[in-house]
Amino acid sequence: MSGEIPRVVVVGGGFGGLEAAKALRHASADVTLCDRNNYHLFQPLLYQVATGGLAPGEIAAPIRRVVRGQANTSVLLENVDDIDIERREVVHRDGRIPYDYLIVATGARHTYFGHEGWEAAAPGLKTIEDALDIRRRIYLAYEEAERCPDPDRPPGLLDFVVIGGGPTGVELAGAIAEIARRTLRRDFRRIDPTASRVILIEAGSSVLPSFPPDLSRRARATLEAMGVEVRVGTAVSDVSPEGVRLGDEWIDSRTVIWAAGVEASPPGRSLGQPADRAGRIEVLPDLSLPGHPEVFIVGDLALARGANGGVMPGLAPVAMQEGRLAARNVIRRIAGQPTQPFVYHDRGALATIGRRAAVAEIRGLRLTGVLAWLTWLFVHILYLIGFDSRIAVLWHWAYAYVTFERADRLITEPRRQGAFR
Amino acid sequence: MSGEIPRVVVVGGGFGGLEAAKALRHASADVTLCDRNNYHLFQPLLYQVATGGLAPGEIAAPIRRVVRGQANTSVLLENVDDIDIERREVVHRDGRIPYDYLIVATGARHTYFGHEGWEAAAPGLKTIEDALDIRRRIYLAYEEAERCPDPDRPPGLLDFVVIGGGPTGVELAGAIAEIARRTLRRDFRRIDPTASRVILIEAGSSVLPSFPPDLSRRARATLEAMGVEVRVGTAVSDVSPEGVRLGDEWIDSRTVIWAAGVEASPPGRSLGQPADRAGRIEVLPDLSLPGHPEVFIVGDLALARGANGGVMPGLAPVAMQEGRLAARNVIRRIAGQPTQPFVYHDRGALATIGRRAAVAEIRGLRLTGVLAWLTWLFVHILYLIGFDSRIAVLWHWAYAYVTFERADRLITEPRRQGAFR
């Protein structure tokens, strides 16, 4: 099957897959990068699209443009359904792509822990389509309230619930509170947007559970000062289009957002390998699949362990470093050299809450407030792909900082039946 | 029915309706502005969204933000289905809005001159959803060509047909040619985007028929120099997903865009008044509806006549001036003063073709090339609503000018069945 030049297929153009493809730039290999979208998505800023702060195009870079200069690399827009690991072929709707080496970086998607029926009422945030759907729901809620005379207004129309107190949930809750308190403050005549409720629910004992306890406490206090009601220690037991049940309490809400859990993406499952509860696949220290030295798994799909045996978290820096190592290990294997184990260089963790408010832990140094927020801004601009986007995002942020406006509050597609919902 | 303060309802937040609402800022009236979208769309730049040059949010301003400072003005997100002219009520899905004075500015939509079946194969460009659909079709055509091995490739996959040689058609054809020749030039491995065909079809005898003949000729020569095939003098007799029939000739094309005709929007028809072939409604010189001095019609829906009896063209400056006059006539009528007739202040016409190429006629002065193009840039930035958008658009244009990139080439929603088409 194999020609003289080894064929390397990378499945997934997220942080892990794109870094792998870029690291294969000088490899003596025929590289194919498959993704079901024509763009790489800068997921850490997706919540800003979901809340109307940035346009989709500003946090997404065309994959072709990123690898344009790599003559050994082709890009294919393909939805990979399956991997035929025995025949060494990637399977998609229209055919099969044979490989000699494979890097699987298909990432994760949100999970409802068995309650898949909740998805329609509580969409998650993983794709641009998800973000536009959430944006539409948030801004439409205010439009509907303005259209409904008060006694007829459905309960919970201006009560927003975010389920999940990790970084995405905290960022969403903070941004929605800012929309209510500042952006829309003077835009309506019959309703008072500042009276909206924003409720952040976390089943564990604190928000940002992966951060040190003092930063978690600080994040909670900042959220509460912004008007977010933080509810920890109770899991949601039901979600419907009318609201959520939290222990014995019912909370009316027409806009619920799910930021509570992720699981591995379907192509990963087709590998038929041992996986953890979240569907992540156990890999060897060099990130290869046990028994398949030609297959590497990186990013949210991989259950990789650090030097101390701890499981790597689902963070962009982890995925990027794994992608680069997997690419280097492919190159080593092509050259007949031994592979090297993954060692995570932890540069810290960051989460933003709102204007001048963030928490950061960088090499043991803990930052809060303005300093953490400036660090967050700097890091996110630095890692955003594309000079054009960096300038545009900086401009929108500067403008929003001064005016409290949000650049992209359009209520657009998808069209449902009828004009709106 | 009427309270002490007269109720003025403006239907439509396009150029005509928004200018009318703004001109009612100091009126002693209770003003309601209805639109089915929450944004005002800057339609002259919509072709740039359709070709990936700008993001939707950059050419759309939230209507609420625009009239935020007008305490007498409410905004309602409503899809107006009908106007009950006898009971003086605007009818929408959820109820009725009574008015004392009405300004109808619902504009136009594209028409297929009785061949409505062509719409699925040849979408028109009026809304943001239309623009995203066209953007998806253009960029997806290249992705599909890259995925299809050559002998199996459907004919016409990289042949783009634009039907209609007015400003929108010329702008689209020029932009698609630039995408093929410059933006995507180095992005593919199996296909040569520069070999794409772009065909502009105009049934009349020249492109830009509303411009002086020498400017039309110049526009055609510029398009041809950019690689666009210009076909004039023959009407399209059939459109299918495989291509178009032009006289005796069949042209294979998987991507056809309709820029050939507009007709008045449905709410206009419900007025039950004499209309021309395109559905535009005859108005009196003061823009009021014959027999209904409380109803004014502005913009593309109005069949208004200039001082010399000629019909006003469907241009943004006409709509804006009509909107302002209608508002002033409402104010005069409230004050018991006589209304004034519409007099169009013609500041000229502009159409862009591509980089450094445009045609302009300004008070009899005819410009082409770089000077016309700079005029076009200046005028469009000037009229774009919102300081944030102006800077962002200027930045994207400057970046695109230097790099030939297009800022927003994402293939996104709407999801069809299966992953792509």
Side-chain angles (χ1 to χ4, degrees):
Chain A
M1 285 291 284
S2 167
E4 293 198 358
I5 297 178
R7 295 160 304 190
V8 183
V9 175
V10 180
V11 183
F15 287 108
L18 194 62
E19 282 301 304
K22 285 161 69 181
L24 290 164
R25 175 189 317 249
H26 300 299
S28 301
D30 182 355
V31 180
T32 302
L33 174 57
C34 298
D35 196 280
R36 61 177 164 178
N37 290 314
N38 75 332
Y39 49 84
H40 165 75
L41 180 62
F42 192 77
Q43 223 150 12
L45 291 180
L46 193 58
Y47 83 95
Q48 296 223 350
V49 174
T51 53
L54 292 174
E58 287 163 349
I59 63 158
I63 293 174
R64 296 194 178 283
R65 188 194 299 176
V66 177
V67 298
R68 175 187 288 167
Q70 297 186 213
N72 69 345
T73 305
S74 306
V75 177
L76 284 185
L77 183 74
E78 292 288 7
N79 201 354
V80 171
D81 303 313
D82 196 10
I83 288 153
D84 187 337
I85 202 159
E86 298 309 324
R87 295 179 59 178
R88 301 196 178 181
E89 288 176 347
V90 166
V91 183
H92 58 81
R93 200 185 45 162
D94 302 320
R96 291 167 164 256
I97 309 170
Y99 62 79
D100 298 306
Y101 297 94
L102 176 68
I103 298 176
V104 187
T106 50
R109 55 178 197 179
H110 37 263
T111 179
Y112 293 82
F113 306 118
H115 300 284
E116 307 310 319
W118 295 357
E119 182 162 15
L125 180 61
K126 271 283 169 194
T127 67
I128 283 185
E129 286 80 6
D130 291 341
L132 296 176
D133 180 34
I134 290 172
R135 181 178 83 180
R136 200 177 50 81
R137 288 173 187 241
I138 293 171
Y139 288 100
L140 208 46
Y142 289 98
E143 298 293 339
E144 295 202 339
E146 179 87 343
R147 293 160 70 211
C148 283
D150 209 0
D152 301 341
R153 190 175 303 157
L157 193 50
L158 293 183
D159 299 338
F160 299 86
V161 170
V162 178
I163 301 173
T168 299
V170 167
E171 286 160 351
L172 280 169
I176 296 170
E178 285 186 347
I179 290 170
R181 302 282 181 284
R182 308 301 305 252
T183 309
L184 299 181
R185 193 159 46 117
R186 295 169 51 224
D187 280 13
F188 292 84
R189 301 289 177 258
R190 305 175 187 176
I191 59 167
D192 176 10
T194 67
S196 315
R197 285 175 79 195
V198 184
I199 302 140
L200 176 64
I201 296 173
E202 164 60 40
S205 61
S206 65
V207 299
L208 299 182
S210 66
F211 282 70
D214 55 331
L215 293 186
S216 289
R217 278 194 299 275
R218 177 66 176 257
R220 178 176 178 162
T222 306
L223 283 167
E224 287 174 342
M226 292 167 68
V228 176
E229 300 172 37
V230 179
R231 313 289 286 272
V232 298
T234 312
V236 166
S237 56
D238 193 21
V239 179
S240 86
E242 282 77 42
V244 303
R245 181 165 300 283
L246 190 66
D248 296 335
E249 186 189 1
W250 174 257
I251 300 175
D252 287 321
S253 171
R254 301 278 158 163
T255 313
V256 182
I257 305 173
W258 187 261
V262 294
E263 65 175 2
S265 50
R269 295 206 201 108
S270 72
L271 294 172
Q273 297 287 321
D276 73 351
R277 206 170 54 100
R280 289 183 297 182
I281 294 164
E282 288 267 9
V283 292
L284 298 176
D286 68 352
L287 303 178
S288 70
L289 196 63
H292 286 279
E294 77 284 7
V295 177
F296 294 84
I297 302 183
V298 304
D300 287 355
L301 182 62
L303 187 70
R305 291 180 191 280
N308 58 6
V311 171
M312 287 292 113
L315 296 173
V318 173
M320 294 170 81
Q321 293 179 29
E322 288 177 349
R324 286 194 288 267
L325 181 80
R328 286 197 298 264
N329 278 343
V330 166
I331 293 169
R332 286 187 189 103
R333 209 151 260 167
I334 290 171
Q337 295 165 356
T339 58
Q340 293 191 351
F342 181 65
V343 180
Y344 180 47
H345 299 282
D346 187 356
R347 302 215 177 82
L350 284 161
T352 185
I353 306 159
R355 296 171 77 76
R356 293 190 302 264
V359 293
E361 188 192 21
I362 298 161
R363 300 181 186 277
L365 184 70
R366 293 173 193 176
L367 302 175
T368 60
V370 177
L371 208 58
W373 185 70
L374 290 173
T375 307
W376 181 91
L377 285 180
F378 176 76
V379 167
H380 282 77
I381 285 293
L382 192 71
Y383 278 93
L384 197 58
I385 289 179
F387 181 68
D388 180 28
S389 290
R390 282 180 202 161
I391 303 292
V393 168
L394 265 182
W395 162 250
H396 286 306
W397 284 352
Y399 187 79
Y401 185 81
V402 174
T403 63
F404 293 92
E405 295 294 354
R406 301 187 80 83
D408 206 0
R409 354 181 313 208
L410 313 189
I411 298 172
T412 54
E413 64 294 340
R415 289 274 175 93
R416 303 280 175 93
Q417 285 180 299
F420 311 115
R421 278 210 176 161
Chain B
M1 287 288 286
S2 168
E4 294 199 358
I5 298 178
R7 294 160 305 189
V8 184
V9 175
V10 180
V11 182
F15 287 108
L18 193 63
E19 282 302 304
K22 284 160 68 181
L24 290 164
R25 173 190 320 249
H26 301 299
S28 303
D30 182 355
V31 180
T32 302
L33 174 57
C34 299
D35 196 280
R36 61 177 164 177
N37 290 315
N38 76 332
Y39 50 84
H40 164 76
L41 179 62
F42 192 77
Q43 222 149 14
L45 291 179
L46 193 57
Y47 83 96
Q48 294 222 352
V49 174
T51 52
L54 293 174
E58 287 164 349
I59 63 158
I63 293 174
R64 296 195 177 283
R65 188 194 300 175
V66 177
V67 298
R68 176 187 287 167
Q70 296 185 214
N72 69 346
T73 306
S74 305
V75 177
L76 284 185
L77 182 74
E78 291 288 8
N79 200 354
V80 170
D81 303 314
D82 197 11
I83 289 153
D84 186 337
I85 204 158
E86 298 309 323
R87 297 178 59 178
R88 300 195 178 181
E89 288 175 345
V90 167
V91 183
H92 58 81
R93 201 185 45 163
D94 302 320
R96 291 167 163 258
I97 308 169
Y99 62 79
D100 299 305
Y101 299 93
L102 176 68
I103 298 176
V104 186
T106 50
R109 56 178 195 178
H110 37 263
T111 180
Y112 292 83
F113 307 118
H115 300 284
E116 307 310 320
W118 295 356
E119 182 163 14
L125 181 61
K126 272 283 169 196
T127 67
I128 283 184
E129 285 80 5
D130 292 341
L132 295 177
D133 180 33
I134 290 172
R135 180 178 83 180
R136 201 177 49 80
R137 288 173 188 243
I138 293 170
Y139 288 100
L140 208 45
Y142 289 98
E143 297 293 339
E144 295 203 340
E146 180 85 345
R147 293 159 70 211
C148 283
D150 209 1
D152 301 342
R153 188 176 302 157
L157 192 50
L158 293 183
D159 299 338
F160 300 86
V161 170
V162 178
I163 302 173
T168 299
V170 166
E171 286 160 351
L172 279 170
I176 296 171
E178 285 186 346
I179 290 169
R181 302 282 181 283
R182 307 302 304 250
T183 308
L184 299 181
R185 193 160 45 120
R186 295 171 49 224
D187 280 12
F188 293 83
R189 300 290 177 257
R190 303 176 187 175
I191 59 167
D192 176 11
T194 67
S196 316
R197 286 175 78 193
V198 184
I199 302 139
L200 176 64
I201 296 173
E202 163 61 40
S205 61
S206 65
V207 299
L208 299 181
S210 65
F211 282 69
D214 55 332
L215 292 187
S216 291
R217 277 194 299 275
R218 179 64 177 256
R220 178 176 178 162
T222 306
L223 283 166
E224 288 174 340
M226 292 167 68
V228 176
E229 300 172 35
V230 179
R231 313 288 287 268
V232 298
T234 311
V236 166
S237 55
D238 193 21
V239 178
S240 86
E242 283 77 42
V244 303
R245 181 165 301 283
L246 189 66
D248 296 334
E249 185 189 3
W250 174 257
I251 301 175
D252 287 320
S253 171
R254 302 276 159 164
T255 312
V256 182
I257 305 172
W258 187 261
V262 295
E263 64 174 3
S265 50
R269 295 205 202 110
S270 72
L271 294 171
Q273 297 287 322
D276 73 350
R277 207 170 53 101
R280 288 183 299 182
I281 294 164
E282 288 267 9
V283 292
L284 297 177
D286 68 354
L287 302 179
S288 71
L289 197 62
H292 287 278
E294 78 284 6
V295 177
F296 295 84
I297 302 182
V298 303
D300 287 354
L301 183 62
L303 188 70
R305 290 180 192 280
N308 59 6
V311 171
M312 286 292 115
L315 296 174
V318 173
M320 294 169 81
Q321 292 179 30
E322 288 178 349
R324 286 193 290 267
L325 181 80
R328 286 197 298 265
N329 279 344
V330 165
I331 293 169
R332 287 187 188 103
R333 210 152 260 167
I334 290 171
Q337 295 164 357
T339 58
Q340 293 191 351
F342 180 67
V343 180
Y344 180 47
H345 300 282
D346 186 356
R347 302 216 177 82
L350 282 161
T352 185
I353 306 161
R355 297 170 76 77
R356 295 189 301 264
V359 293
E361 188 192 21
I362 298 161
R363 302 180 186 280
L365 184 70
R366 293 174 193 177
L367 301 176
T368 59
V370 177
L371 208 57
W373 185 70
L374 289 173
T375 307
W376 181 91
L377 286 179
F378 176 75
V379 168
H380 282 76
I381 285 293
L382 192 71
Y383 277 94
L384 197 58
I385 290 179
F387 180 67
D388 180 26
S389 290
R390 282 180 202 162
I391 303 293
V393 169
L394 265 181
W395 162 251
H396 286 306
W397 284 351
Y399 187 79
Y401 184 81
V402 174
T403 63
F404 292 93
E405 295 294 353
R406 301 188 81 83
D408 207 0
R409 5 184 300 212
L410 313 189
I411 298 172
T412 55
E413 63 293 340
R415 288 275 174 93
R416 303 283 175 91
Q417 285 180 298
F420 310 115
R421 279 214 174 156

